[in-house]
């Protein structure tokens, strides 16, 4: 009797489990990277512009960019699965693809843990879920190590310069705030009404961040802040750091490297307080 009940409980899992697919199109750089990490790289036949990691992704046909997606080409290619960024790819065109019968997997990480769970979900479409599971486990272990190391450390106020001209930053729980938070970073614009507010130098100075972060794509140029050296702790103490843009801004397994890098920088700031 118990065996029969156990078997019945297993049925839904088998019925809902995804089946391996033969061809995949990715419509954002981060879903392309996630596909490779989940063991789906050999199934990718096309991707979006800026899908540049790993190296193999550079040779894929391009069917999407910041202006939209190449609907006719995607229909011609007839992929078994389309990977899309929810909120990043145009809703109207994605809805049309679904209406045409295409299966769409939406990636929309809201937390660091979502990266690992998304890998596992994508792994269901691979011939074997082993690679996805290994990468998900590795991500969780490294994230847990950081959480344990930084959960009791003092917070450090920071400003993240997402772009230079105009100067834009992040607010609330919008990505990649989560990466800074795991290291004990406190965003000086966390309470801004807009998700990605456009701000001024004066607004940064008023909030007195201890550290300023930029990326390799939008560097936090020290010369911009030189005139405010006596008024801004981050500039006076040379706490202006550049982190790797793709690690930080794309929610992929490489995000953990951004977190590890940022944690080290925030520790430098903590040491300067002594």
């Amino acid at each position: 009797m118990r065996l029969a009940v156990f078997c019945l409980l297993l049925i839904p899992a088998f019925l809902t489990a995804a089946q391996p697919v033969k061809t995949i199109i990715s419509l954002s750089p981060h879903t392309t990277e996630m596909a490779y990490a989940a063991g789906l790289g050999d199934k990718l036949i096309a991707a979006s512009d800026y899908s540049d990691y790993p190296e193999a992704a550079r040779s894929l046909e391009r069917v999407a960019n910041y202006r939209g997606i190449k609907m006719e080409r995607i229909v011609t290619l007839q992929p078994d699965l389309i990977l899309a960024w929810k909120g990043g790819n145009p809703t109207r065109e994605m809805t049309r693809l679904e209406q045409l019968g295409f299966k769409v997997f939406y990636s929309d990480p809201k937390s660091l843990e979502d990266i690992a769970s998304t890998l596992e979900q994508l792994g269901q479409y691979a011939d074997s879920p082993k690679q996805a599971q290994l990468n998900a486990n590795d991500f969780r272990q490294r994230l847990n190590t950081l959480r344990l190391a930084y959960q009791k450390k003092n917070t450090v106020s920071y400003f993240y310069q997402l772009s230079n001209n105009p100067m834009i930053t992040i607010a609330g729980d919008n990505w990649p705030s989560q990466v800074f938070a795991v290291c004990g970073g406190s965003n000086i614009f966390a309470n801004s009404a807009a998700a990605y507010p456009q701000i001024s130098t004066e607004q940064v100075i008023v909030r007195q961040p201890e550290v300023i972060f930029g990326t390799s794509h939008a560097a936090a140029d020290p010369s911009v802040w030189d005139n405010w050296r006596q008024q801004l702790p981050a500039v006076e103490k040379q706490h202006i750091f550049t982190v790797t843009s793709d690690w930080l801004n794309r929610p992929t397994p490489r995000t953990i490297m951004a977190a590890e890098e940022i944690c080290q920088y925030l520790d430098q700031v903590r040491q300067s307080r002594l």
Side-chain angles (χ1 to χ4, degrees):
M1 180 64 179
R2 290 180 180 177
L3 179 60
V5 172
F6 178 72
C7 291
L8 286 172
L9 290 173
L10 287 179
I11 289 176
F14 283 108
L15 290 176
T16 58
Q19 296 298 314
V21 298
K22 293 182 179 180
T23 57
I24 299 174
I25 287 178
S26 170
L27 300 181
S28 77
H30 96 264
T31 54
T32 301
E33 187 171 334
M34 291 288 279
Y36 278 97
L40 299 171
D42 60 336
K43 300 176 186 295
L44 281 167
I45 58 173
S48 68
D49 283 0
Y50 302 106
S51 290
D52 53 12
Y53 187 87
E55 185 64 29
R58 296 177 181 269
S59 63
L60 294 170
E61 179 181 345
R62 302 312 191 194
V63 292
N65 54 40
Y66 71 93
R67 292 186 296 269
I69 63 178
K70 298 179 182 178
M71 181 73 70
E72 291 184 5
R73 184 55 182 159
I74 293 173
V75 172
T76 299
L77 290 171
Q78 287 290 303
D80 297 322
L81 180 66
I82 297 173
L83 307 182
W85 174 21
K86 196 173 186 64
N89 293 121
T91 302
R92 181 178 178 181
E93 290 163 298
M94 297 311 304
T95 299
R96 180 59 180 152
L97 285 172
E98 291 184 65
Q99 291 172 342
L100 290 172
F102 289 102
K103 183 175 180 60
V104 180
F105 177 95
Y106 288 101
S107 175
D108 186 29
K110 299 296 186 185
S111 68
L112 289 167
E113 290 82 359
D114 286 345
I115 293 174
S117 60
T118 300
L119 276 177
E120 291 170 335
Q121 292 168 30
L122 285 172
Q124 298 178 78
Y125 298 105
D127 296 330
S128 168
K130 184 177 180 180
Q131 182 177 332
Q133 192 63 64
L134 287 173
N135 285 330
N137 290 343
D138 177 70
F139 186 90
R140 288 193 179 102
Q141 289 170 5
R142 292 169 70 177
L143 177 59
N144 187 55
T145 297
L146 288 180
R147 290 202 188 283
L148 290 174
Y150 287 89
Q151 62 183 355
K152 294 183 179 180
K153 290 196 175 186
N154 294 330
T155 60
V156 178
S157 63
Y158 74 90
F159 165 59
Y160 175 45
Q161 189 171 331
L162 184 60
S163 70
N164 295 331
N165 189 20
M167 191 178 291
I168 294 175
T169 188
I170 53 175
D173 293 328
N174 297 287
W175 197 271
S177 294
Q178 302 86 338
V179 185
F180 295 96
V182 76
C183 304
S186 176
N187 184 2
I188 62 171
F189 287 100
N191 296 324
S192 295
Y196 297 96
Q198 181 175 332
I199 48 88
S200 66
T201 303
E202 289 74 15
Q203 287 175 293
V204 176
I205 293 168
V206 167
R207 288 166 174 78
Q208 293 285 288
E210 294 179 85
V211 58
I212 295 173
F213 286 104
T215 69
S216 48
H217 290 171
D221 186 353
S223 65
V224 172
W225 307 100
D226 276 347
N227 293 334
W228 309 99
R229 183 173 297 277
Q230 301 304 316
Q231 298 171 268
L232 202 54
V235 180
E236 182 181 3
K237 297 182 178 181
Q238 297 185 336
H239 291 156
I240 301 178
F241 303 115
T242 299
V243 295
T244 305
S245 177
D246 292 347
W247 294 1
L248 180 59
N249 293 332
R250 296 180 185 178
T252 72
R254 290 194 296 168
T255 298
I256 199 65
M257 294 192 289
E260 291 166 346
E261 187 176 38
I262 289 168
C263 285
Q264 291 177 6
Y265 286 139
L266 293 185
D267 274 343
Q268 290 184 37
V269 178
R270 292 185 180 97
Q271 286 296 319
S272 72
R273 295 170 174 171
L274 303 178

